[in-house]
Amino acid sequence: MTSGNLLTDHPELYEQRFPDPDHLAARWAEEVLTRYGAGLRVLDVGCGTGRDAAWLHHTGGRRVTGIDTSEAMLAYARAHHPGPAHHRADMRDFDLATVFDAVVCLDSALLYCHTNDDLTAFLARCRAHLAPGGLLVAEMRNGAFFLGNTELLDGSRTASFAWRGTTYTSRTTLWIDHGAQLLRRRRTWTADDGSAPDEQQSAWRLLFPQELRHFLTTAGFEVLALHDGPGPRTEPPWSEGDSPYGTTSSDRLHLVARLSPQDRPQSDSNGDTTP
């Protein structure tokens, strides 16, 4: 059995497995950015295949930069979703020497901050790169959902899809690492082309709404909205004109936070920032 990440290593398979033909994620992000009056300069953290960044760049009319740790994803983004600038960078220590009006984190990218130090470092990098009053917009799993709710943990789940004559099947198991406060996932892929199985292990931080508020406030952000839906990954999914719900009890959590102007790092004459 090999060890890797089939979908990250093969971005075309990622888009086949998780299609978004209506660009729900990007349209939701654009609606939030417009509602809260964000400027045009946007940083997409964990941009993946680049389809959301490209939609925001071309259709939303924004100047978008995307960062990701996967060079395969970035190469695919440059080739298939051109327009935004793409950089290989870690969300905990990126330094792009520029300022943005908003930072966007979709599909639980923020939850790859597994420890308190990781999350603190990421928020500090956001603070260093945001203009006064800049926004942080995030969409993620909700840690509070797992308090007494086991529907996603009861047994493994199997899913299949076909791509260029090959059928890929995944068997996914989720469990909670209580001590680390992580939702861990083991996913094994098999294909009917005779290739060896491919096992992927990953994890997301389980953040609770009040815990998230504390981290953001400590980092100099004002939480403007924190709700469970509607959003691009909710059921039913978000559509134009939907208003946020007032609860934080379902599987998804949606965040909008604004950097307090007094917490913006000082800039030198070249526009570079000092954390």
Side-chain angles (χ1 to χ4, degrees):
M1 179 174 289
T2 61
S3 178
N5 188 323
L6 178 73
L7 300 185
T8 299
D9 295 342
H10 303 87
E12 68 279 5
L13 295 182
Y14 181 96
E15 291 199 340
Q16 184 71 13
R17 174 63 184 88
F18 300 110
D20 189 5
D22 296 325
H23 301 284
L24 275 177
R27 285 166 45 217
W28 175 82
E30 173 60 28
E31 194 275 338
V32 172
L33 294 172
T34 300
R35 183 194 310 165
Y36 289 94
L40 297 180
R41 301 167 297 177
V42 175
L43 174 63
D44 183 1
V45 174
C47 64
T49 65
R51 62 186 176 187
D52 299 326
W55 192 95
L56 289 169
H57 188 87
H58 295 294
T59 307
R62 300 186 182 273
R63 299 196 297 274
V64 183
T65 297
I67 64 171
D68 204 284
T69 58
S70 168
E71 189 54 56
M73 285 286 201
L74 292 169
Y76 183 90
R78 295 182 187 110
H80 294 271
H81 301 293
H86 295 99
H87 302 280
R88 189 172 187 274
D90 190 296
M91 64 192 302
R92 297 164 296 184
D93 60 10
F94 64 91
D95 185 0
L96 304 178
T98 190
V99 174
F100 299 93
D101 301 304
V103 173
V104 172
C105 265
L106 301 175
D107 289 321
S108 296
L110 185 146
L111 302 185
Y112 286 106
C113 294
H114 287 176
T115 68
N116 292 347
D117 287 345
D118 288 344
L119 184 54
T120 298
F122 168 64
L123 293 176
R125 290 290 82 208
C126 291
R127 190 173 66 240
H129 286 77
L130 280 170
L135 295 182
L136 171 60
V137 177
E139 178 269 332
M140 71 200 90
R141 286 189 178 274
N142 180 13
F145 175 77
F146 295 93
L147 294 174
N149 193 323
T150 64
E151 68 179 74
L152 297 179
L153 308 173
D154 295 334
S156 60
R157 286 169 168 76
T158 301
S160 298
F161 71 95
W163 174 249
R164 293 182 177 176
T166 299
T167 298
Y168 298 86
T169 300
S170 64
R171 185 172 183 271
T172 302
T173 303
L174 299 173
W175 73 97
I176 294 178
D177 181 339
H178 292 86
Q181 204 171 312
L182 294 175
L183 177 66
R184 294 194 181 275
R185 180 181 71 187
R186 179 185 298 110
R187 175 173 285 165
T188 301
W189 288 98
T190 55
D192 63 1
D193 62 357
S195 58
D198 191 347
E199 182 177 289
Q200 170 198 349
Q201 297 198 38
S202 53
W204 300 271
R205 172 71 178 266
L206 289 177
L207 283 169
F208 300 96
Q210 290 302 317
E211 179 185 25
L212 185 55
R213 286 183 182 274
H214 173 74
F215 275 101
L216 287 158
T217 301
T218 301
F221 288 84
E222 175 192 4
V223 176
L224 304 178
L226 190 60
H227 59 86
D228 59 6
R233 307 294 178 229
T234 58
E235 290 294 339
W238 167 89
S239 62
E240 277 85 359
D242 284 346
S243 298
Y245 302 150
T247 65
T248 54
S249 58
S250 68
D251 178 40
R252 310 305 293 192
L253 197 59
H254 308 85
L255 165 72
V256 185
R258 189 185 304 280
L259 178 66
S260 301
Q262 62 268 26
D263 289 295
R264 176 72 177 89
Q266 296 298 313
S267 299
D268 62 25
S269 60
N270 295 319
D272 295 332
T273 60
T274 302

